[in-house]
Amino acid sequence: DTSEKNTPHVDSNAPGVGRINAMLRQQTLDRAGAAVGSRAATTLSALDAIGGHLARVPGRKNLVWVSGSFPFTVGLEDVEDGLDRNATSFAHEVERVTRHLTDANVAVYPVDARGLMALDLAFDGGPHNQPTFGTPSQADFATMAVLADRTGGRSFYNTNDITAAIRSAFDDTKVTYILGYYPGNSQWDGKFRQIKVKVNRAGIHVRARRGYFAREVAGHSGTDLAGALLSSAVSPLEAAAIGLTAEVSPGETAEARTLKLHLTIDARDLLFAQNGDRWKGDLEIVMAEEDSTGRVKFRSEQRYAPEYTQAHYAKVCEQGIRETREVQISPGTISLQIYALDVSAGAIGSVRIPVAQYFPPGN
C-alpha cells in the first residue's frame, strides 16, 4: 500500500499554515459576528415594536419569548449581574428597549426552547485531540435573566417542560397591581438603582421590575429619532405609544391627488415640561409614502413646540391636539403613513392610510 507514501504531509505548525489558519478562523468569527449583530438588531427592533404597539392597552401585559438562542448579551458596565465583561454587548440597546417595554407595562418571559442542556463534548485540538467537556454557555441564561428582571418577568431555561413555563407566564396575569414610584434621590448619575416591593403576607411572591437606571429624561438625538421612525416604518405593527387618529376625505378632484386630513393627537401621551403656569412640549409630525414594492419614502415633517397655560393644557388633554392639513399623494403610492413623535420621550404613534380607495389605478 503506497497511498500513505504518496500523500503529501502538511505540517500544521509551519508558519505559513498557521497564518492561513488564523486568517480563516478570523474570517469565520467575523461572519458569525455580523450574523449575530444582524439577528440582535432585528430581535430588539421586534421587541421595541411590540412594546410600542401594546403601550395603550391598559394593565400588565406578559410577553412570552420562546427561542432556541438569544442573539445578544449584556455586559457588566451598567448591570449588577455576573456576566462576562468580554462578551459582545448590546447593553445600551437592551436598556433602551427594556425602558420602552416597562413604560408600556410589558413584562418579558424568555423561554429557552433548547430544553435540558447537557455538558458540551469538544476536542482540545492538541497532538492527540483529546476529548474535553465544557458547561453550556452562561451568556444566554444571564441575558434572559436581565431582560426578565428589568421588565418584571421571569426567565425559564434548562428545563424540558416548556409548556409549564409558558403556563406559568400566563398564570402571572391572574392578579396584578400597578404601583407608582417617585424616587427621592435626585442624583441622575446613570447608575442602576434597585427597587424592592414587599408585602406583609406569608406565602406571597411579588414579581416586579428590579430597578431603574438613574438617567435624566432628555431630548433624544437625531440619530435615535431617525432610527425609531425607520423601525416603525418597516414594522407590520402600528406604533401606539401616542394616541393618533386621522379622519380622511378626498380633495376637490381625483386628478389633483390630494387628501384632507383631520388629525387628533392624545396630549396625555406626550411629555410636557411644567414651568410655573405654563406647559411646554416638543412634537413632530412626519409623513411618509409606501409604494407597491414596500419601499417607504419620508416626504415631509413639521415640528411644533406647543405651550399652554394651565387651563388650556387641561382642555387639550381632554380634547386632544387637533390639526388639519391637505396632502398631495405621489403616483404609485399605496399607503400614506403618518407619525406623531414626542421628541423629548422618543415615543411614537402611527397610522397607515390605504389610498387606493381614493385614487383608483390609472389616476
Side-chain angles (χ1 to χ4, degrees), residues 158-200:
N158 214 15
T159 174
N160 287 334
D161 198 351
I162 298 177
T163 301
I166 297 174
R167 186 183 302 114
S168 177
F170 281 99
D171 289 343
D172 276 0
T173 63
K174 291 182 178 180
V175 180
T176 62
Y177 297 90
I178 298 179
L179 305 177
Y181 171 76
Y182 299 90
N185 188 343
S186 60
Q187 296 297 321
W188 306 109
D189 52 12
K191 296 181 179 179
F192 185 86
R193 297 178 185 168
Q194 289 189 349
I195 299 176
K196 294 182 179 180
V197 181
K198 299 180 180 179
V199 292
N200 189 20

CSV table of all heavy atoms in Angstrom, one decimal, residues 158-200:
chain,number,residue,atom,x,y,z
A,158,ASN,N,-33.0,25.6,30.8
A,158,ASN,CA,-32.5,24.3,31.3
A,158,ASN,C,-33.7,23.4,31.8
A,158,ASN,O,-33.5,22.8,32.9
A,158,ASN,CB,-31.4,24.5,32.4
A,158,ASN,CG,-30.4,23.4,32.3
A,158,ASN,OD1,-30.3,22.7,31.4
A,158,ASN,ND2,-29.6,23.3,33.4
A,159,THR,N,-34.8,23.4,31.1
A,159,THR,CA,-35.9,22.6,31.5
A,159,THR,C,-36.6,22.0,30.3
A,159,THR,O,-36.6,22.7,29.2
A,159,THR,CB,-36.9,23.4,32.3
A,159,THR,OG1,-38.1,22.6,32.6
A,159,THR,CG2,-37.4,24.6,31.6
A,160,ASN,N,-37.1,20.8,30.3
A,160,ASN,CA,-37.8,20.2,29.2
A,160,ASN,C,-39.3,20.5,29.3
A,160,ASN,O,-40.0,20.2,28.3
A,160,ASN,CB,-37.6,18.7,29.2
A,160,ASN,CG,-36.2,18.3,28.7
A,160,ASN,OD1,-35.5,19.1,28.0
A,160,ASN,ND2,-35.7,17.2,29.2
A,161,ASP,N,-39.8,21.0,30.4
A,161,ASP,CA,-41.2,21.3,30.5
A,161,ASP,C,-41.5,22.7,30.0
A,161,ASP,O,-41.8,23.6,30.8
A,161,ASP,CB,-41.6,21.1,32.0
A,161,ASP,CG,-43.2,20.9,32.1
A,161,ASP,OD1,-43.9,21.1,31.1
A,161,ASP,OD2,-43.6,20.6,33.2
A,162,ILE,N,-41.4,22.9,28.7
A,162,ILE,CA,-41.6,24.3,28.2
A,162,ILE,C,-43.1,24.7,28.3
A,162,ILE,O,-43.4,25.9,28.5
A,162,ILE,CB,-41.2,24.3,26.7
A,162,ILE,CG1,-39.7,24.0,26.6
A,162,ILE,CG2,-41.5,25.6,26.0
A,162,ILE,CD1,-39.2,24.0,25.2
A,163,THR,N,-44.0,23.7,28.2
A,163,THR,CA,-45.4,24.0,28.4
A,163,THR,C,-45.7,24.6,29.7
A,163,THR,O,-46.4,25.6,29.9
A,163,THR,CB,-46.3,22.8,28.2
A,163,THR,OG1,-46.0,22.2,26.9
A,163,THR,CG2,-47.7,23.1,28.3
A,164,ALA,N,-45.1,24.0,30.8
A,164,ALA,CA,-45.3,24.6,32.1
A,164,ALA,C,-44.7,26.0,32.3
A,164,ALA,O,-45.3,26.8,33.0
A,164,ALA,CB,-44.7,23.6,33.2
A,165,ALA,N,-43.6,26.2,31.6
A,165,ALA,CA,-43.0,27.6,31.6
A,165,ALA,C,-44.0,28.6,31.0
A,165,ALA,O,-44.2,29.7,31.6
A,165,ALA,CB,-41.7,27.6,30.9
A,166,ILE,N,-44.5,28.3,29.9
A,166,ILE,CA,-45.5,29.2,29.3
A,166,ILE,C,-46.7,29.4,30.1
A,166,ILE,O,-47.2,30.5,30.3
A,166,ILE,CB,-45.8,28.7,27.9
A,166,ILE,CG1,-44.6,28.7,27.0
A,166,ILE,CG2,-46.9,29.6,27.2
A,166,ILE,CD1,-44.8,28.1,25.6
A,167,ARG,N,-47.2,28.3,30.7
A,167,ARG,CA,-48.4,28.4,31.6
A,167,ARG,C,-48.1,29.2,32.8
A,167,ARG,O,-49.0,30.0,33.2
A,167,ARG,CB,-48.8,27.0,32.0
A,167,ARG,CG,-50.1,27.0,32.8
A,167,ARG,CD,-50.5,25.6,33.3
A,167,ARG,NE,-50.6,24.7,32.2
A,167,ARG,CZ,-49.8,23.6,32.0
A,167,ARG,NH1,-48.8,23.4,32.8
A,167,ARG,NH2,-50.0,22.8,31.0
A,168,SER,N,-46.9,29.2,33.3
A,168,SER,CA,-46.5,30.0,34.5
A,168,SER,C,-46.6,31.5,34.1
A,168,SER,O,-47.0,32.3,34.9
A,168,SER,CB,-45.1,29.6,35.0
A,168,SER,OG,-44.7,30.4,36.0
A,169,ALA,N,-46.2,31.8,32.9
A,169,ALA,CA,-46.2,33.2,32.5
A,169,ALA,C,-47.6,33.7,32.4
A,169,ALA,O,-48.0,34.8,32.8
A,169,ALA,CB,-45.5,33.4,31.1
A,170,PHE,N,-48.5,32.8,31.9
A,170,PHE,CA,-50.0,33.2,31.8
A,170,PHE,C,-50.6,33.3,33.2
A,170,PHE,O,-51.4,34.2,33.5
A,170,PHE,CB,-50.7,32.2,31.0
A,170,PHE,CG,-50.6,32.4,29.5
A,170,PHE,CD1,-49.7,31.6,28.8
A,170,PHE,CD2,-51.3,33.4,28.8
A,170,PHE,CE1,-49.5,31.8,27.4
A,170,PHE,CE2,-51.1,33.6,27.5
A,170,PHE,CZ,-50.2,32.8,26.8
A,171,ASP,N,-50.1,32.4,34.1
A,171,ASP,CA,-50.7,32.5,35.5
A,171,ASP,C,-50.3,33.8,36.2
A,171,ASP,O,-51.1,34.2,37.1
A,171,ASP,CB,-50.2,31.3,36.3
A,171,ASP,CG,-50.8,29.9,35.8
A,171,ASP,OD1,-51.8,30.0,35.1
A,171,ASP,OD2,-50.2,28.9,36.1
A,172,ASP,N,-49.2,34.4,35.8
A,172,ASP,CA,-48.8,35.6,36.5
A,172,ASP,C,-49.8,36.8,36.2
A,172,ASP,O,-49.7,37.8,36.8
A,172,ASP,CB,-47.4,36.0,36.1
A,172,ASP,CG,-46.4,35.3,36.9
A,172,ASP,OD1,-46.7,34.5,37.8
A,172,ASP,OD2,-45.2,35.5,36.6
A,173,THR,N,-50.7,36.6,35.2
A,173,THR,CA,-51.6,37.7,34.9
A,173,THR,C,-52.9,37.6,35.7
A,173,THR,O,-53.7,38.5,35.6
A,173,THR,CB,-52.0,37.6,33.4
A,173,THR,OG1,-52.7,36.4,33.1
A,173,THR,CG2,-50.8,37.7,32.5
A,174,LYS,N,-53.0,36.6,36.6
A,174,LYS,CA,-54.3,36.4,37.3
A,174,LYS,C,-54.5,37.6,38.3
A,174,LYS,O,-55.6,38.0,38.5
A,174,LYS,CB,-54.3,35.1,38.0
A,174,LYS,CG,-54.4,33.9,37.1
A,174,LYS,CD,-54.4,32.6,37.8
A,174,LYS,CE,-54.6,31.4,36.9
A,174,LYS,NZ,-54.6,30.1,37.6
A,175,VAL,N,-53.4,38.0,39.0
A,175,VAL,CA,-53.5,39.0,40.0
A,175,VAL,C,-52.4,40.0,39.7
A,175,VAL,O,-51.2,39.7,39.8
A,175,VAL,CB,-53.4,38.5,41.4
A,175,VAL,CG1,-53.5,39.7,42.4
A,175,VAL,CG2,-54.5,37.5,41.7
A,176,THR,N,-52.7,41.3,39.3
A,176,THR,CA,-51.7,42.3,39.1
A,176,THR,C,-52.2,43.6,39.7
A,176,THR,O,-53.4,43.9,39.8
A,176,THR,CB,-51.6,42.5,37.5
A,176,THR,OG1,-52.8,42.9,37.0
A,176,THR,CG2,-51.1,41.2,36.9
A,177,TYR,N,-51.2,44.4,40.0
A,177,TYR,CA,-51.4,45.7,40.6
A,177,TYR,C,-50.4,46.7,39.9
A,177,TYR,O,-49.3,46.3,39.5
A,177,TYR,CB,-51.2,45.8,42.1
A,177,TYR,CG,-52.1,44.9,42.9
A,177,TYR,CD1,-51.8,43.6,43.2
A,177,TYR,CD2,-53.3,45.4,43.4
A,177,TYR,CE1,-52.7,42.8,43.9
A,177,TYR,CE2,-54.2,44.7,44.1
A,177,TYR,CZ,-53.8,43.3,44.4
A,177,TYR,OH,-54.7,42.6,45.1
A,178,ILE,N,-50.9,47.9,39.7
A,178,ILE,CA,-50.0,48.9,39.1
A,178,ILE,C,-49.6,49.9,40.3
A,178,ILE,O,-50.5,50.5,40.8
A,178,ILE,CB,-50.6,49.7,38.0
A,178,ILE,CG1,-50.9,48.7,36.8
A,178,ILE,CG2,-49.7,50.8,37.5
A,178,ILE,CD1,-51.6,49.4,35.6
A,179,LEU,N,-48.3,50.0,40.6
A,179,LEU,CA,-47.9,50.9,41.6
A,179,LEU,C,-47.1,52.0,41.0
A,179,LEU,O,-46.3,51.8,40.1
A,179,LEU,CB,-47.0,50.1,42.7
A,179,LEU,CG,-47.7,48.9,43.3
A,179,LEU,CD1,-46.7,48.2,44.2
A,179,LEU,CD2,-48.9,49.3,44.1
A,180,GLY,N,-47.2,53.2,41.6
A,180,GLY,CA,-46.4,54.3,41.2
A,180,GLY,C,-45.2,54.5,42.1
A,180,GLY,O,-45.4,54.3,43.3
A,181,TYR,N,-44.1,54.9,41.6
A,181,TYR,CA,-42.9,55.1,42.4
A,181,TYR,C,-42.2,56.4,42.0
A,181,TYR,O,-42.0,56.6,40.8
A,181,TYR,CB,-41.9,53.9,42.3
A,181,TYR,CG,-40.6,54.2,42.9
A,181,TYR,CD1,-40.5,54.1,44.3
A,181,TYR,CD2,-39.5,54.5,42.2
A,181,TYR,CE1,-39.2,54.3,44.9
A,181,TYR,CE2,-38.2,54.7,42.8
A,181,TYR,CZ,-38.1,54.6,44.2
A,181,TYR,OH,-36.9,54.8,44.8
A,182,TYR,N,-41.9,57.3,42.9
A,182,TYR,CA,-41.2,58.5,42.7
A,182,TYR,C,-39.9,58.5,43.5
A,182,TYR,O,-40.0,58.6,44.7
A,182,TYR,CB,-42.1,59.7,43.1
A,182,TYR,CG,-43.4,59.8,42.3
A,182,TYR,CD1,-44.5,59.1,42.8
A,182,TYR,CD2,-43.5,60.4,41.1
A,182,TYR,CE1,-45.7,59.1,42.1
A,182,TYR,CE2,-44.7,60.5,40.4
A,182,TYR,CZ,-45.8,59.8,40.9
A,182,TYR,OH,-47.0,59.8,40.2
A,183,PRO,N,-38.8,58.5,42.8
A,183,PRO,CA,-37.5,58.4,43.6
A,183,PRO,C,-37.2,59.7,44.3
A,183,PRO,O,-37.4,60.8,43.8
A,183,PRO,CB,-36.5,58.1,42.4
A,183,PRO,CG,-37.1,58.7,41.2
A,183,PRO,CD,-38.6,58.4,41.4
A,184,GLY,N,-36.7,59.5,45.5
A,184,GLY,CA,-36.4,60.7,46.3
A,184,GLY,C,-34.9,61.2,46.0
A,184,GLY,O,-34.6,62.3,46.3
A,185,ASN,N,-34.1,60.3,45.4
A,185,ASN,CA,-32.7,60.6,45.1
A,185,ASN,C,-32.7,61.4,43.8
A,185,ASN,O,-33.1,60.8,42.7
A,185,ASN,CB,-31.9,59.4,45.0
A,185,ASN,CG,-30.4,59.7,44.9
A,185,ASN,OD1,-30.0,60.8,44.5
A,185,ASN,ND2,-29.6,58.7,45.2
A,186,SER,N,-32.3,62.6,43.8
A,186,SER,CA,-32.4,63.4,42.5
A,186,SER,C,-31.0,63.4,41.8
A,186,SER,O,-30.8,64.2,40.9
A,186,SER,CB,-32.8,64.8,42.8
A,186,SER,OG,-31.9,65.4,43.8
A,187,GLN,N,-30.1,62.6,42.2
A,187,GLN,CA,-28.8,62.5,41.6
A,187,GLN,C,-28.9,61.6,40.3
A,187,GLN,O,-28.9,60.4,40.5
A,187,GLN,CB,-27.7,62.0,42.5
A,187,GLN,CG,-27.5,62.8,43.7
A,187,GLN,CD,-26.9,64.2,43.3
A,187,GLN,OE1,-26.1,64.3,42.4
A,187,GLN,NE2,-27.4,65.3,44.0
A,188,TRP,N,-29.0,62.2,39.2
A,188,TRP,CA,-29.1,61.4,37.9
A,188,TRP,C,-27.7,61.1,37.4
A,188,TRP,O,-27.2,61.7,36.5
A,188,TRP,CB,-30.0,62.2,36.9
A,188,TRP,CG,-31.3,62.6,37.5
A,188,TRP,CD1,-31.6,63.9,37.8
A,188,TRP,CD2,-32.4,61.8,37.8
A,188,TRP,NE1,-32.9,63.9,38.3
A,188,TRP,CE2,-33.4,62.6,38.3
A,188,TRP,CE3,-32.6,60.4,37.7
A,188,TRP,CZ2,-34.6,62.1,38.7
A,188,TRP,CZ3,-33.8,59.9,38.1
A,188,TRP,CH2,-34.8,60.8,38.6
A,189,ASP,N,-27.1,60.0,38.0
A,189,ASP,CA,-25.8,59.7,37.7
A,189,ASP,C,-25.7,58.5,36.8
A,189,ASP,O,-24.6,58.0,36.5
A,189,ASP,CB,-25.0,59.4,39.0
A,189,ASP,CG,-25.7,58.3,39.9
A,189,ASP,OD1,-26.7,57.7,39.4
A,189,ASP,OD2,-25.3,58.2,41.0
A,190,GLY,N,-26.8,58.0,36.3
A,190,GLY,CA,-26.8,56.9,35.3
A,190,GLY,C,-26.6,55.5,35.9
A,190,GLY,O,-26.6,54.5,35.2
A,191,LYS,N,-26.5,55.4,37.2
A,191,LYS,CA,-26.3,54.1,37.9
A,191,LYS,C,-27.6,53.4,38.0
A,191,LYS,O,-28.7,54.0,38.0
A,191,LYS,CB,-25.6,54.3,39.3
A,191,LYS,CG,-24.2,54.9,39.2
A,191,LYS,CD,-23.6,55.1,40.6
A,191,LYS,CE,-22.2,55.6,40.5
A,191,LYS,NZ,-21.6,55.8,41.9
A,192,PHE,N,-27.4,52.1,38.2
A,192,PHE,CA,-28.6,51.2,38.4
A,192,PHE,C,-29.0,51.3,39.9
A,192,PHE,O,-28.2,51.1,40.8
A,192,PHE,CB,-28.3,49.8,38.0
A,192,PHE,CG,-29.5,48.8,38.1
A,192,PHE,CD1,-30.4,48.7,37.0
A,192,PHE,CD2,-29.7,48.1,39.2
A,192,PHE,CE1,-31.5,47.9,37.0
A,192,PHE,CE2,-30.8,47.3,39.3
A,192,PHE,CZ,-31.7,47.2,38.2
A,193,ARG,N,-30.3,51.5,40.1
A,193,ARG,CA,-30.9,51.6,41.5
A,193,ARG,C,-32.0,50.6,41.6
A,193,ARG,O,-32.9,50.4,40.8
A,193,ARG,CB,-31.4,53.0,41.7
A,193,ARG,CG,-30.4,54.1,41.7
A,193,ARG,CD,-31.0,55.4,42.0
A,193,ARG,NE,-30.0,56.5,41.8
A,193,ARG,CZ,-30.2,57.8,41.7
A,193,ARG,NH1,-31.5,58.2,41.8
A,193,ARG,NH2,-29.3,58.7,41.6
A,194,GLN,N,-31.8,49.8,42.7
A,194,GLN,CA,-32.8,48.7,42.9
A,194,GLN,C,-34.1,49.2,43.5
A,194,GLN,O,-34.2,50.2,44.2
A,194,GLN,CB,-32.2,47.7,43.9
A,194,GLN,CG,-31.1,46.9,43.3
A,194,GLN,CD,-30.7,45.8,44.2
A,194,GLN,OE1,-31.1,45.7,45.4
A,194,GLN,NE2,-29.9,44.8,43.7
A,195,ILE,N,-35.2,48.5,43.1
A,195,ILE,CA,-36.5,48.7,43.7
A,195,ILE,C,-37.0,47.4,44.3
A,195,ILE,O,-37.0,46.4,43.6
A,195,ILE,CB,-37.5,49.3,42.7
A,195,ILE,CG1,-37.1,50.6,42.1
A,195,ILE,CG2,-38.9,49.4,43.3
A,195,ILE,CD1,-38.0,51.1,41.0
A,196,LYS,N,-37.4,47.4,45.5
A,196,LYS,CA,-37.9,46.2,46.2
A,196,LYS,C,-39.3,46.4,46.6
A,196,LYS,O,-39.6,47.4,47.3
A,196,LYS,CB,-37.0,45.8,47.4
A,196,LYS,CG,-35.6,45.4,47.0
A,196,LYS,CD,-34.8,45.0,48.2
A,196,LYS,CE,-33.4,44.6,47.8
A,196,LYS,NZ,-32.6,44.1,49.0
A,197,VAL,N,-40.2,45.5,46.2
A,197,VAL,CA,-41.6,45.6,46.5
A,197,VAL,C,-41.9,44.4,47.5
A,197,VAL,O,-41.7,43.2,47.2
A,197,VAL,CB,-42.5,45.4,45.3
A,197,VAL,CG1,-44.0,45.5,45.7
A,197,VAL,CG2,-42.2,46.5,44.3
A,198,LYS,N,-42.3,44.8,48.7
A,198,LYS,CA,-42.6,43.8,49.7
A,198,LYS,C,-44.1,43.8,50.1
A,198,LYS,O,-44.7,44.8,50.1
A,198,LYS,CB,-41.7,44.0,51.0
A,198,LYS,CG,-40.2,43.9,50.7
A,198,LYS,CD,-39.4,44.2,52.0
A,198,LYS,CE,-37.9,44.1,51.7
A,198,LYS,NZ,-37.1,44.4,52.9
A,199,VAL,N,-44.6,42.6,50.5
A,199,VAL,CA,-46.0,42.5,51.0
A,199,VAL,C,-46.0,41.9,52.4
A,199,VAL,O,-45.1,41.0,52.7
A,199,VAL,CB,-46.8,41.7,50.1
A,199,VAL,CG1,-47.0,42.5,48.8
A,199,VAL,CG2,-46.2,40.4,49.8
A,200,ASN,N,-46.9,42.3,53.2
A,200,ASN,CA,-46.9,41.8,54.6
A,200,ASN,C,-47.9,40.7,54.7
A,200,ASN,O,-48.9,40.7,55.4
A,200,ASN,CB,-47.4,43.0,55.6
A,200,ASN,CG,-47.3,42.6,57.0
A,200,ASN,OD1,-46.5,41.7,57.4
A,200,ASN,ND2,-48.0,43.3,57.9
